[in-house]
Amino acid sequence: MVVPGSGVQEREFRGWLLEKLGQYLRRPPADIDISVPFAEYGIDSVAALSIFGDIEDGFGLYLEPTVAWDHPTVQSLARYLASESARSAAGPLAQAPYGEPIGGSRAGGDPTDPRDNPGTSGWTRNTPGGGPR
């Protein structure tokens, strides 16, 4: 397991992804082309979510399911994971809770937004997944 916040490099993620895909596909990682989309290897959404769970467990990085669509190759996903890892390594002030953008209109909280006011019922930004309290 990699220590969260250690800033894993792109080549390390690429190697890890190749090993993981090799396990799923039951083929040597050297036979996997990093520029070929996962779908062409038969990786479906269920397998992608499983790999994302492994990424979360191994690296402490939470990924939205849409990341697989935005980064459909080992090369692209490794680059994205490295950037997320570097951002994570920068510390908690560099991250917005639960994937919210930093510096957005809610960066400091909005007292009129019920999600930012613990005294109101409804939604809260401090609830995983933005669910109700």
Side-chain angles (χ1 to χ4, degrees):
M1 175 159 169
V2 174
V3 177
S6 64
V8 178
Q9 300 294 315
E10 183 178 340
R11 76 177 186 289
E12 294 171 280
F13 277 115
R14 191 171 41 246
W16 185 90
L17 286 167
L18 287 170
E19 287 289 326
K20 191 59 66 177
L21 284 174
Q23 291 172 4
Y24 278 94
L25 299 171
R26 294 189 174 127
R27 61 193 306 178
D31 290 351
I32 300 170
D33 184 334
I34 64 170
S35 64
V36 171
F38 298 124
E40 288 188 32
Y41 283 113
I43 299 294
D44 60 10
S45 59
V46 174
L49 288 175
S50 181
I51 291 170
F52 281 14
D54 294 340
I55 291 169
E56 185 174 348
D57 292 344
F59 299 99
L61 295 173
Y62 171 77
L63 302 176
E64 293 290 333
T66 57
V67 170
W69 295 105
D70 296 335
H71 305 281
T73 65
V74 169
Q75 183 175 16
S76 176
L77 184 57
R79 185 173 299 125
Y80 174 78
L81 292 173
S83 71
E84 288 298 299
S85 179
R87 195 168 63 107
S88 175
L93 295 178
Q95 297 180 42
Y98 302 107
E100 292 183 23
I102 298 170
S105 61
R106 296 185 48 213
D110 179 356
T112 63
D113 188 334
R115 295 175 292 178
D116 288 334
N117 186 346
T120 64
S121 62
W123 305 93
T124 177
R125 88 189 311 171
N126 294 323
T127 301
R133 289 180 163 219

